[in-house]
Amino acid sequence: MGGGVTVRAPRALRKAVGRELSAVLGAAAADHVIARVDTAYEPLVAQIPDANRGARHLLRIGAYSIALYRSLTDEQIATQPATELVSDAVFAAIRPGRDMLTRLGRLRHRDRLRAARWSSDLARRFYYAEPGWRIREVAVDDGFGMDITRCVIAEYFDQLGEAELCQRVICHQDVRSAEHHGITLVRSGTLAGGADRCDFRYHVPPDTAPHLSLIHI
């Protein structure tokens, strides 16, 4: 099994999926789908490549997202609502970690932009380290930016024929995260979408409440 990854699904994501499915389908149907997801997850997680601990956590989220999406569409749930359910569950699962880094950034820096950059740098050290990611900083007026020229998550989804799902669920979390923290994200393309890079250009609007921060996923 790649990278010594356990078959156990990410707990926070599995709980979020249970809540989302129960609200949409009812408890009995939700339990049925989750059982299918757990079965589908095992062979997917076995294909996760070697990576550091933080990256493996994100890759397990990716594997579970694919298993969930495929299970929902197998249950004749249409593409759009299935995608939205997966995206909502992922956002609910990863939000506590993002918010924790946000709070740390606020404690570290009073300036909103410096706090946002510090939180992003911390996330990069733990989750987005080489060799799974190649990231270079880019100078941005009134903000900060980075270009990602390698993303192991995009590669993993592409390997499984799910590059479009990666765009609609995983890449979309960058946008949701920015909105959640009052940050403006400008991006022209993603690796999962066929671009040669994922470009991130972050700006803090002048009317945003103070001490906001951000990490990307």
Side-chain angles (χ1 to χ4, degrees), residues 36-54:
R36 292 193 61 166
V37 175
D38 289 342
T39 300
Y41 173 72
E42 184 170 346
L44 292 173
V45 80
Q47 299 180 63
I48 286 177
D50 290 336
N52 64 26
R53 181 179 178 183

Side-chain angles (χ1 to χ4, degrees), residues 112-185:
R112 290 173 292 169
L113 185 59
R114 291 182 67 190
R117 184 193 295 271
W118 186 88
S119 297
S120 180
D121 288 346
L122 185 61
R124 284 171 55 183
R125 287 196 294 271
F126 184 72
Y127 291 106
Y128 304 101
E130 294 183 356
W133 279 266
R134 286 195 294 271
I135 304 173
R136 61 173 179 264
E137 294 190 8
V138 177
V140 176
D141 292 338
D142 300 321
F144 70 98
M146 66 189 79
D147 287 341
I148 298 179
T149 57
R150 184 192 178 192
C151 170
V152 69
I153 296 177
E155 293 173 1
Y156 174 71
F157 272 74
D158 185 59
Q159 170 192 332
L160 296 171
E162 297 288 1
E164 185 178 352
L165 182 65
C166 186
Q167 294 179 71
R168 291 187 280 117
V169 171
I170 304 302
C171 299
H172 186 55
Q173 301 304 318
D174 301 326
V175 178
R176 295 187 71 161
S177 178
E179 292 175 349
H180 177 65
H181 291 99
I183 304 289
T184 299
L185 168 61

Side-chain angles (χ1 to χ4, degrees), residues 49-61:
D50 290 336
N52 64 26
R53 181 179 178 183
R56 287 200 305 270
H57 173 68
L58 298 180
L59 285 162
R60 288 198 298 272
I61 289 175

Side-chain angles (χ1 to χ4, degrees), residues 7 30 34 42 55 64 99 119 144 164 186-187:
V7 174
I34 289 173
E42 184 170 346
Y64 201 79
D99 289 346
S119 297
F144 70 98
E164 185 178 352
V186 179
R187 184 169 64 188

Side-chain angles (χ1 to χ4, degrees), residues 41-109:
Y41 173 72
E42 184 170 346
L44 292 173
V45 80
Q47 299 180 63
I48 286 177
D50 290 336
N52 64 26
R53 181 179 178 183
R56 287 200 305 270
H57 173 68
L58 298 180
L59 285 162
R60 288 198 298 272
I61 289 175
Y64 201 79
S65 299
I66 294 171
L68 174 59
Y69 178 78
R70 290 177 176 177
S71 298
L72 290 171
T73 54
D74 286 347
E75 292 288 327
Q76 306 305 311
I77 296 176
T79 297
Q80 185 62 29
T83 300
E84 290 176 357
L85 193 152
V86 177
S87 182
D88 288 347
V90 170
F91 185 70
I94 66 177
R95 185 171 56 195
R98 290 197 311 267
D99 289 346
M100 178 187 69
L101 289 184
T102 294
R103 289 191 294 271
L104 291 174
R106 292 173 182 174
L107 291 171
R108 185 83 176 185
H109 298 288

